[in-house]
């Protein structure tokens, strides 16, 4: 069970990117197959911080962190509902081992 980006909006919430940090190490070509790894490394009341990596086989092409906040339809910061927190906790780096 995933969380669709449209899902929170339809229930009164939206995800927004509040911080983005990325380090490009090597280029990838448009026709290459790459793998994207993504895991939550921090959960707060109204935001999550994700570690992401782009790999070609075992070679790291890019890596970074992104903070994603939650806002209500009124545009104000919203505390994450417990059901959403439970779904996202399955994506945490600590949960993955």
């Amino acid at each position: 069970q995933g969380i669709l980006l449209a899902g929170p909006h339809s229930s009164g919430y939206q995800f927004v990117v509040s911080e983005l940090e990325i380090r490009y190490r090597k280029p990838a070509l448009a026709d290459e197959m790459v793998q994207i790894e993504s895991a939550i490394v921090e959960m707060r009341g109204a935001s999550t911080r994700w570690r992401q990596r782009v790999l070609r086989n075992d070679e790291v092409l890019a890596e970074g962190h992104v903070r994603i906040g939650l806002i209500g339809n009124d545009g104000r910061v919203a505390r994450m509902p417990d059901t959403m927190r439970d779904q996202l906790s399955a994506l945490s780096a600590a949960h993955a081992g």
Side-chain angles (χ1 to χ4, degrees):
Q1 292 179 343
I3 297 176
L4 300 175
L5 292 179
H9 179 68
S10 64
S11 64
Y13 300 99
Q14 295 182 72
F15 291 120
V16 294
V17 174
S18 61
E19 294 176 20
L20 179 63
E21 171 191 329
I22 188 163
R23 181 172 187 168
Y24 296 100
R25 297 189 177 277
K26 296 186 177 185
L29 300 175
D31 62 347
E32 285 185 299
M33 294 293 290
V34 296
Q35 178 181 355
I36 309 296
E37 292 181 347
S38 190
I40 295 174
V41 293
E42 178 184 21
M43 290 184 73
R44 293 184 177 177
S47 70
T48 55
R49 186 168 184 255
W50 298 68
R51 178 189 69 233
Q52 297 185 318
R53 297 189 328 157
V54 178
L55 299 112
R56 178 178 46 231
N57 300 317
D58 291 331
E59 184 178 31
V60 177
L61 303 179
E63 57 190 339
H65 288 91
V66 60
R67 181 164 301 281
I68 300 174
L70 190 67
I71 61 171
N73 285 337
D74 60 0
R76 298 177 77 150
V77 174
R79 194 155 189 79
M80 196 177 310
D82 289 341
T83 53
M84 186 181 295
R85 179 175 294 285
D86 291 345
Q87 286 179 299
L88 289 174
S89 68
L91 303 174
S92 73
H95 185 273

